[in-house]
Protein backbone atom coordinates (compact mmCIF):
# COMPACT_ATOMS: atom_id res chain seq x y z
CA UNK A 1 0.00 0.00 0.00
CA UNK A 2 1.37 3.39 -0.99
CA UNK A 3 1.74 6.20 1.53
CA UNK A 4 0.15 9.61 0.93
CA UNK A 5 2.77 11.30 3.12
CA UNK A 6 5.17 12.52 0.36
CA UNK A 7 2.28 14.09 -1.58
CA UNK A 8 0.81 15.70 1.54
CA UNK A 9 4.19 17.13 2.58
CA UNK A 10 4.73 18.51 -0.93
CA UNK A 11 1.34 20.28 -0.85
CA UNK A 12 2.08 21.66 2.62
CA UNK A 13 5.47 23.03 1.58
CA UNK A 14 4.00 24.69 -1.53
CA UNK A 15 1.39 26.37 0.69
CA UNK A 16 4.09 27.80 2.97
CA UNK A 17 3.73 25.33 5.84
CA UNK A 18 6.87 24.00 7.48
CA UNK A 19 8.03 21.26 9.84
CA UNK A 20 8.12 22.82 13.30
CA UNK A 21 9.63 19.96 15.32
CA UNK A 22 9.72 16.20 15.76
CA UNK A 23 6.76 14.79 17.58
CA UNK A 24 6.35 11.67 19.68
CA UNK A 25 6.44 8.33 17.91
CA UNK A 26 5.99 8.48 14.16
CA UNK A 27 4.67 12.04 13.90
CA UNK A 28 6.17 15.43 13.15
CA UNK A 29 4.58 18.70 14.23
CA UNK A 30 4.06 21.18 11.38
CA UNK A 31 3.00 24.83 11.42
CA UNK A 32 0.58 26.49 9.00
CA UNK A 33 0.85 30.26 8.46
CA UNK A 34 -2.54 30.10 6.73
CA UNK A 35 -4.46 29.59 9.96
CA UNK A 36 -1.58 30.10 12.45
CA UNK A 37 -1.92 26.56 13.79
CA UNK A 38 0.32 23.61 14.70
CA UNK A 39 -0.79 20.12 13.59
CA UNK A 40 0.64 16.57 13.51
CA UNK A 41 1.69 14.80 10.31
CA UNK A 42 2.16 11.02 10.45
CA UNK A 43 5.22 9.51 8.75
CA UNK A 44 3.02 6.98 6.93
CA UNK A 45 -0.45 8.22 5.96
CA UNK A 46 -2.24 5.26 4.36
CA UNK A 47 -5.80 6.62 4.09
CA UNK A 48 -6.95 9.35 1.73
CA UNK A 49 -9.31 10.48 4.47
CA UNK A 50 -6.41 10.98 6.88
CA UNK A 51 -4.46 12.81 4.17
CA UNK A 52 -7.38 15.17 3.59
CA UNK A 53 -7.72 15.62 7.36
CA UNK A 54 -4.13 16.83 7.60
CA UNK A 55 -4.72 19.28 4.75
CA UNK A 56 -7.88 20.53 6.47
CA UNK A 57 -5.95 21.17 9.70
CA UNK A 58 -3.46 23.19 7.64
CA UNK A 59 -6.28 25.30 6.15
CA UNK A 60 -5.99 23.75 2.67
CA UNK A 61 -8.73 22.20 0.50
CA UNK A 62 -9.11 18.43 -0.02
CA UNK A 63 -6.76 16.96 -2.64
CA UNK A 64 -7.43 13.20 -2.47
Amino acid sequence: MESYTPLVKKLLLVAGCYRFRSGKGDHDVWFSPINNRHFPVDHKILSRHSANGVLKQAGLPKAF
Side-chain angles (χ1 to χ4, degrees), residues 22-43:
S22 293
K24 293 187 176 188
D26 60 351
H27 289 79
D28 288 329
V29 177
W30 283 61
F31 178 76
S32 172
I34 297 167
N35 57 10
N36 201 29
R37 184 173 171 188
H38 293 89
F39 56 95
V41 177
D42 196 331
H43 289 180

mmCIF file of all heavy atoms in Angstrom, residues 22-43:
data_model
loop_
_atom_site.group_PDB
_atom_site.id
_atom_site.type_symbol
_atom_site.label_atom_id
_atom_site.label_comp_id
_atom_site.label_asym_id
_atom_site.label_seq_id
_atom_site.Cartn_x
_atom_site.Cartn_y
_atom_site.Cartn_z
ATOM 1 N N SER A 22 10.065 17.614 15.710
ATOM 2 C CA SER A 22 9.715 16.201 15.761
ATOM 3 C C SER A 22 8.685 15.995 16.852
ATOM 4 O O SER A 22 8.747 16.631 17.900
ATOM 5 C CB SER A 22 10.942 15.353 16.068
ATOM 6 O OG SER A 22 11.847 15.409 15.014
ATOM 7 N N GLY A 23 7.763 15.104 16.582
ATOM 8 C CA GLY A 23 6.758 14.791 17.584
ATOM 9 C C GLY A 23 7.080 13.475 18.255
ATOM 10 O O GLY A 23 8.163 12.915 18.075
ATOM 11 N N LYS A 24 6.156 12.955 19.024
ATOM 12 C CA LYS A 24 6.348 11.672 19.681
ATOM 13 C C LYS A 24 6.004 10.553 18.701
ATOM 14 O O LYS A 24 5.087 10.678 17.904
ATOM 15 C CB LYS A 24 5.465 11.570 20.922
ATOM 16 C CG LYS A 24 5.872 12.522 22.014
ATOM 17 C CD LYS A 24 5.097 12.267 23.275
ATOM 18 C CE LYS A 24 5.603 13.181 24.378
ATOM 19 N NZ LYS A 24 5.029 12.857 25.663
ATOM 20 N N GLY A 25 6.735 9.473 18.765
ATOM 21 C CA GLY A 25 6.444 8.332 17.907
ATOM 22 C C GLY A 25 6.737 8.623 16.454
ATOM 23 O O GLY A 25 7.807 9.123 16.119
ATOM 24 N N ASP A 26 5.784 8.336 15.601
ATOM 25 C CA ASP A 26 5.991 8.482 14.160
ATOM 26 C C ASP A 26 5.298 9.718 13.590
ATOM 27 O O ASP A 26 4.781 9.690 12.477
ATOM 28 C CB ASP A 26 5.536 7.223 13.432
ATOM 29 C CG ASP A 26 4.062 6.908 13.659
ATOM 30 O OD1 ASP A 26 3.446 7.573 14.509
ATOM 31 O OD2 ASP A 26 3.534 6.016 12.988
ATOM 32 N N HIS A 27 5.281 10.794 14.359
ATOM 33 C CA HIS A 27 4.670 12.038 13.901
ATOM 34 C C HIS A 27 5.668 13.195 13.959
ATOM 35 O O HIS A 27 6.565 13.191 14.781
ATOM 36 C CB HIS A 27 3.465 12.412 14.777
ATOM 37 C CG HIS A 27 2.287 11.534 14.593
ATOM 38 N ND1 HIS A 27 2.196 10.294 15.170
ATOM 39 C CD2 HIS A 27 1.150 11.700 13.896
ATOM 40 C CE1 HIS A 27 1.044 9.740 14.835
ATOM 41 N NE2 HIS A 27 0.391 10.572 14.058
ATOM 42 N N ASP A 28 5.475 14.152 13.078
ATOM 43 C CA ASP A 28 6.170 15.434 13.151
ATOM 44 C C ASP A 28 5.115 16.504 13.378
ATOM 45 O O ASP A 28 3.964 16.333 12.983
ATOM 46 C CB ASP A 28 6.909 15.751 11.846
ATOM 47 C CG ASP A 28 8.134 14.880 11.641
ATOM 48 O OD1 ASP A 28 8.749 14.478 12.645
ATOM 49 O OD2 ASP A 28 8.469 14.610 10.476
ATOM 50 N N VAL A 29 5.501 17.584 14.012
ATOM 51 C CA VAL A 29 4.583 18.696 14.226
ATOM 52 C C VAL A 29 4.913 19.772 13.192
ATOM 53 O O VAL A 29 6.061 20.191 13.072
ATOM 54 C CB VAL A 29 4.690 19.260 15.661
ATOM 55 C CG1 VAL A 29 3.776 20.460 15.844
ATOM 56 C CG2 VAL A 29 4.352 18.177 16.668
ATOM 57 N N TRP A 30 3.918 20.161 12.425
ATOM 58 C CA TRP A 30 4.064 21.177 11.381
ATOM 59 C C TRP A 30 3.322 22.431 11.800
ATOM 60 O O TRP A 30 2.445 22.402 12.657
ATOM 61 C CB TRP A 30 3.494 20.655 10.068
ATOM 62 C CG TRP A 30 4.388 19.684 9.360
ATOM 63 C CD1 TRP A 30 4.820 18.474 9.821
ATOM 64 C CD2 TRP A 30 4.950 19.841 8.068
ATOM 65 N NE1 TRP A 30 5.608 17.873 8.890
ATOM 66 C CE2 TRP A 30 5.703 18.694 7.794
ATOM 67 C CE3 TRP A 30 4.875 20.835 7.104
ATOM 68 C CZ2 TRP A 30 6.392 18.517 6.604
ATOM 69 C CZ3 TRP A 30 5.553 20.662 5.908
ATOM 70 C CH2 TRP A 30 6.314 19.512 5.675
ATOM 71 N N PHE A 31 3.662 23.554 11.157
ATOM 72 C CA PHE A 31 3.000 24.830 11.416
ATOM 73 C C PHE A 31 2.442 25.377 10.107
ATOM 74 O O PHE A 31 3.103 25.331 9.075
ATOM 75 C CB PHE A 31 3.977 25.843 12.008
ATOM 76 C CG PHE A 31 3.355 27.192 12.236
ATOM 77 C CD1 PHE A 31 2.507 27.401 13.306
ATOM 78 C CD2 PHE A 31 3.589 28.232 11.360
ATOM 79 C CE1 PHE A 31 1.915 28.634 13.516
ATOM 80 C CE2 PHE A 31 3.006 29.471 11.553
ATOM 81 C CZ PHE A 31 2.164 29.669 12.635
ATOM 82 N N SER A 32 1.225 25.890 10.161
ATOM 83 C CA SER A 32 0.583 26.492 9.000
ATOM 84 C C SER A 32 0.419 27.995 9.211
ATOM 85 O O SER A 32 -0.290 28.413 10.130
ATOM 86 C CB SER A 32 -0.801 25.880 8.768
ATOM 87 O OG SER A 32 -1.483 26.591 7.754
ATOM 88 N N PRO A 33 1.048 28.819 8.359
ATOM 89 C CA PRO A 33 0.850 30.260 8.462
ATOM 90 C C PRO A 33 -0.524 30.692 7.950
ATOM 91 O O PRO A 33 -0.948 31.809 8.205
ATOM 92 C CB PRO A 33 1.971 30.834 7.593
ATOM 93 C CG PRO A 33 2.262 29.760 6.608
ATOM 94 C CD PRO A 33 2.014 28.461 7.322
ATOM 95 N N ILE A 34 -1.215 29.793 7.267
ATOM 96 C CA ILE A 34 -2.542 30.103 6.726
ATOM 97 C C ILE A 34 -3.533 30.340 7.862
ATOM 98 O O ILE A 34 -4.284 31.307 7.854
ATOM 99 C CB ILE A 34 -3.039 28.967 5.806
ATOM 100 C CG1 ILE A 34 -2.099 28.846 4.604
ATOM 101 C CG2 ILE A 34 -4.476 29.208 5.353
ATOM 102 C CD1 ILE A 34 -2.294 27.585 3.798
ATOM 103 N N ASN A 35 -3.539 29.426 8.834
ATOM 104 C CA ASN A 35 -4.462 29.587 9.964
ATOM 105 C C ASN A 35 -3.729 29.701 11.300
ATOM 106 O O ASN A 35 -4.345 29.599 12.350
ATOM 107 C CB ASN A 35 -5.480 28.442 9.991
ATOM 108 C CG ASN A 35 -4.837 27.082 10.050
ATOM 109 O OD1 ASN A 35 -3.634 26.954 10.251
ATOM 110 N ND2 ASN A 35 -5.631 26.048 9.880
ATOM 111 N N ASN A 36 -2.389 29.894 11.244
ATOM 112 C CA ASN A 36 -1.582 30.099 12.445
ATOM 113 C C ASN A 36 -1.760 28.967 13.452
ATOM 114 O O ASN A 36 -2.024 29.194 14.627
ATOM 115 C CB ASN A 36 -1.923 31.451 13.083
ATOM 116 C CG ASN A 36 -0.816 31.930 13.993
ATOM 117 O OD1 ASN A 36 0.335 31.618 13.791
ATOM 118 N ND2 ASN A 36 -1.193 32.692 15.004
ATOM 119 N N ARG A 37 -1.618 27.723 12.972
ATOM 120 C CA ARG A 37 -1.921 26.556 13.788
ATOM 121 C C ARG A 37 -0.844 25.477 13.636
ATOM 122 O O ARG A 37 -0.301 25.280 12.559
ATOM 123 C CB ARG A 37 -3.266 26.011 13.331
ATOM 124 C CG ARG A 37 -3.805 24.869 14.101
ATOM 125 C CD ARG A 37 -5.205 24.557 13.637
ATOM 126 N NE ARG A 37 -5.642 23.319 14.234
ATOM 127 C CZ ARG A 37 -6.741 22.696 13.937
ATOM 128 N NH1 ARG A 37 -7.546 23.179 13.030
ATOM 129 N NH2 ARG A 37 -7.065 21.574 14.527
ATOM 130 N N HIS A 38 -0.562 24.763 14.727
ATOM 131 C CA HIS A 38 0.316 23.606 14.703
ATOM 132 C C HIS A 38 -0.552 22.359 14.528
ATOM 133 O O HIS A 38 -1.671 22.303 15.063
ATOM 134 C CB HIS A 38 1.104 23.483 16.011
ATOM 135 C CG HIS A 38 2.086 24.583 16.196
ATOM 136 N ND1 HIS A 38 1.763 25.768 16.817
ATOM 137 C CD2 HIS A 38 3.377 24.695 15.824
ATOM 138 C CE1 HIS A 38 2.818 26.552 16.829
ATOM 139 N NE2 HIS A 38 3.821 25.929 16.230
ATOM 140 N N PHE A 39 -0.027 21.352 13.808
ATOM 141 C CA PHE A 39 -0.791 20.124 13.588
ATOM 142 C C PHE A 39 0.178 18.966 13.351
ATOM 143 O O PHE A 39 1.288 19.163 12.859
ATOM 144 C CB PHE A 39 -1.750 20.290 12.402
ATOM 145 C CG PHE A 39 -1.070 20.696 11.120
ATOM 146 C CD1 PHE A 39 -0.688 19.746 10.184
ATOM 147 C CD2 PHE A 39 -0.792 22.032 10.857
ATOM 148 C CE1 PHE A 39 -0.047 20.119 9.015
ATOM 149 C CE2 PHE A 39 -0.160 22.409 9.684
ATOM 150 C CZ PHE A 39 0.217 21.445 8.759
ATOM 151 N N PRO A 40 -0.229 17.733 13.694
ATOM 152 C CA PRO A 40 0.645 16.571 13.508
ATOM 153 C C PRO A 40 0.538 16.003 12.094
ATOM 154 O O PRO A 40 -0.520 16.029 11.478
ATOM 155 C CB PRO A 40 0.107 15.565 14.524
ATOM 156 C CG PRO A 40 -1.341 15.902 14.627
ATOM 157 C CD PRO A 40 -1.434 17.407 14.441
ATOM 158 N N VAL A 41 1.664 15.491 11.597
ATOM 159 C CA VAL A 41 1.693 14.797 10.310
ATOM 160 C C VAL A 41 2.375 13.453 10.544
ATOM 161 O O VAL A 41 3.539 13.400 10.955
ATOM 162 C CB VAL A 41 2.456 15.600 9.239
ATOM 163 C CG1 VAL A 41 2.522 14.821 7.937
ATOM 164 C CG2 VAL A 41 1.797 16.953 9.010
ATOM 165 N N ASP A 42 1.652 12.379 10.286
ATOM 166 C CA ASP A 42 2.163 11.022 10.451
ATOM 167 C C ASP A 42 3.212 10.721 9.387
ATOM 168 O O ASP A 42 3.140 11.236 8.276
ATOM 169 C CB ASP A 42 0.993 10.044 10.328
ATOM 170 C CG ASP A 42 1.321 8.664 10.850
ATOM 171 O OD1 ASP A 42 2.496 8.276 10.805
ATOM 172 O OD2 ASP A 42 0.394 7.970 11.294
ATOM 173 N N HIS A 43 4.184 9.874 9.718
ATOM 174 C CA HIS A 43 5.219 9.509 8.749
ATOM 175 C C HIS A 43 4.700 8.576 7.669
ATOM 176 O O HIS A 43 5.321 8.448 6.621
ATOM 177 C CB HIS A 43 6.391 8.846 9.457
ATOM 178 C CG HIS A 43 7.195 9.795 10.275
ATOM 179 N ND1 HIS A 43 8.287 9.406 10.992
ATOM 180 C CD2 HIS A 43 7.074 11.125 10.509
ATOM 181 C CE1 HIS A 43 8.805 10.436 11.614
ATOM 182 N NE2 HIS A 43 8.073 11.496 11.351
#
